[in-house]
mmCIF file of all heavy atoms in Angstrom:
data_model
loop_
_atom_site.group_PDB
_atom_site.id
_atom_site.type_symbol
_atom_site.label_atom_id
_atom_site.label_comp_id
_atom_site.label_asym_id
_atom_site.label_seq_id
_atom_site.Cartn_x
_atom_site.Cartn_y
_atom_site.Cartn_z
ATOM 1 N N PRO A 839 -13.325 34.200 -1.415
ATOM 2 C CA PRO A 839 -14.448 33.262 -1.334
ATOM 3 C C PRO A 839 -14.777 32.609 -2.668
ATOM 4 O O PRO A 839 -15.377 31.535 -2.695
ATOM 5 C CB PRO A 839 -15.607 34.137 -0.847
ATOM 6 C CG PRO A 839 -15.214 35.537 -1.211
ATOM 7 C CD PRO A 839 -13.723 35.582 -1.103
ATOM 8 N N ASP A 840 -14.383 33.239 -3.775
ATOM 9 C CA ASP A 840 -14.628 32.643 -5.088
ATOM 10 C C ASP A 840 -13.843 31.342 -5.228
ATOM 11 O O ASP A 840 -14.394 30.310 -5.611
ATOM 12 C CB ASP A 840 -14.230 33.619 -6.188
ATOM 13 C CG ASP A 840 -14.408 33.013 -7.577
ATOM 14 O OD1 ASP A 840 -15.498 32.465 -7.851
ATOM 15 O OD2 ASP A 840 -13.458 33.079 -8.381
ATOM 16 N N VAL A 841 -12.557 31.375 -4.894
ATOM 17 C CA VAL A 841 -11.747 30.154 -4.936
ATOM 18 C C VAL A 841 -12.256 29.152 -3.916
ATOM 19 O O VAL A 841 -12.356 27.951 -4.196
ATOM 20 C CB VAL A 841 -10.260 30.488 -4.688
ATOM 21 C CG1 VAL A 841 -9.442 29.201 -4.527
ATOM 22 C CG2 VAL A 841 -9.698 31.311 -5.833
ATOM 23 N N GLY A 842 -12.583 29.652 -2.714
ATOM 24 C CA GLY A 842 -13.088 28.751 -1.682
ATOM 25 C C GLY A 842 -14.338 28.012 -2.123
ATOM 26 O O GLY A 842 -14.487 26.816 -1.884
ATOM 27 N N LEU A 843 -15.250 28.711 -2.792
ATOM 28 C CA LEU A 843 -16.488 28.086 -3.254
ATOM 29 C C LEU A 843 -16.215 27.051 -4.338
ATOM 30 O O LEU A 843 -16.797 25.958 -4.327
ATOM 31 C CB LEU A 843 -17.451 29.150 -3.774
ATOM 32 C CG LEU A 843 -18.790 28.637 -4.320
ATOM 33 C CD1 LEU A 843 -19.574 27.914 -3.222
ATOM 34 C CD2 LEU A 843 -19.609 29.781 -4.901
ATOM 35 N N GLN A 844 -15.338 27.384 -5.280
ATOM 36 C CA GLN A 844 -15.013 26.428 -6.338
ATOM 37 C C GLN A 844 -14.394 25.157 -5.758
ATOM 38 O O GLN A 844 -14.755 24.043 -6.142
ATOM 39 C CB GLN A 844 -14.065 27.067 -7.355
ATOM 40 C CG GLN A 844 -14.685 28.168 -8.197
ATOM 41 C CD GLN A 844 -15.913 27.704 -8.957
ATOM 42 O OE1 GLN A 844 -15.907 26.680 -9.625
ATOM 43 N NE2 GLN A 844 -16.998 28.472 -8.841
ATOM 44 N N LEU A 845 -13.461 25.321 -4.834
ATOM 45 C CA LEU A 845 -12.845 24.158 -4.206
ATOM 46 C C LEU A 845 -13.877 23.325 -3.456
ATOM 47 O O LEU A 845 -13.887 22.094 -3.536
ATOM 48 C CB LEU A 845 -11.735 24.601 -3.252
ATOM 49 C CG LEU A 845 -10.532 25.331 -3.858
ATOM 50 C CD1 LEU A 845 -9.477 25.593 -2.792
ATOM 51 C CD2 LEU A 845 -9.938 24.548 -5.013
ATOM 52 N N PHE A 846 -14.749 24.006 -2.713
ATOM 53 C CA PHE A 846 -15.774 23.296 -1.936
ATOM 54 C C PHE A 846 -16.687 22.473 -2.837
ATOM 55 O O PHE A 846 -16.975 21.303 -2.553
ATOM 56 C CB PHE A 846 -16.592 24.306 -1.128
ATOM 57 C CG PHE A 846 -17.701 23.678 -0.327
ATOM 58 C CD1 PHE A 846 -17.452 23.178 0.943
ATOM 59 C CD2 PHE A 846 -18.993 23.586 -0.848
ATOM 60 C CE1 PHE A 846 -18.479 22.592 1.678
ATOM 61 C CE2 PHE A 846 -20.006 23.004 -0.111
ATOM 62 C CZ PHE A 846 -19.751 22.500 1.152
ATOM 63 N N LEU A 847 -17.162 23.058 -3.927
ATOM 64 C CA LEU A 847 -18.085 22.359 -4.815
ATOM 65 C C LEU A 847 -17.415 21.197 -5.539
ATOM 66 O O LEU A 847 -18.003 20.125 -5.700
ATOM 67 C CB LEU A 847 -18.679 23.340 -5.824
ATOM 68 C CG LEU A 847 -19.601 24.414 -5.247
ATOM 69 C CD1 LEU A 847 -20.002 25.415 -6.318
ATOM 70 C CD2 LEU A 847 -20.841 23.787 -4.613
ATOM 71 N N ILE A 848 -16.174 21.405 -5.978
ATOM 72 C CA ILE A 848 -15.437 20.321 -6.635
ATOM 73 C C ILE A 848 -15.190 19.180 -5.650
ATOM 74 O O ILE A 848 -15.351 17.995 -5.993
ATOM 75 C CB ILE A 848 -14.116 20.853 -7.207
ATOM 76 C CG1 ILE A 848 -14.381 21.819 -8.363
ATOM 77 C CG2 ILE A 848 -13.231 19.704 -7.693
ATOM 78 C CD1 ILE A 848 -13.152 22.555 -8.849
ATOM 79 N N ASP A 849 -14.800 19.515 -4.424
ATOM 80 C CA ASP A 849 -14.581 18.498 -3.400
ATOM 81 C C ASP A 849 -15.868 17.733 -3.113
ATOM 82 O O ASP A 849 -15.866 16.496 -3.002
ATOM 83 C CB ASP A 849 -14.080 19.145 -2.109
ATOM 84 C CG ASP A 849 -12.723 19.804 -2.279
ATOM 85 O OD1 ASP A 849 -12.018 19.476 -3.254
ATOM 86 O OD2 ASP A 849 -12.374 20.657 -1.435
ATOM 87 N N LEU A 850 -16.954 18.465 -2.981
ATOM 88 C CA LEU A 850 -18.248 17.835 -2.699
ATOM 89 C C LEU A 850 -18.638 16.872 -3.805
ATOM 90 O O LEU A 850 -19.111 15.758 -3.550
ATOM 91 C CB LEU A 850 -19.319 18.905 -2.521
ATOM 92 C CG LEU A 850 -20.726 18.411 -2.176
ATOM 93 C CD1 LEU A 850 -20.724 17.726 -0.819
ATOM 94 C CD2 LEU A 850 -21.721 19.567 -2.181
#
Side-chain angles (χ1 to χ4, degrees):
D840 177 50
V841 172
L843 179 61
Q844 291 303 311
L845 297 185
F846 178 86
L847 293 174
I848 292 171
D849 296 342
L850 182 64

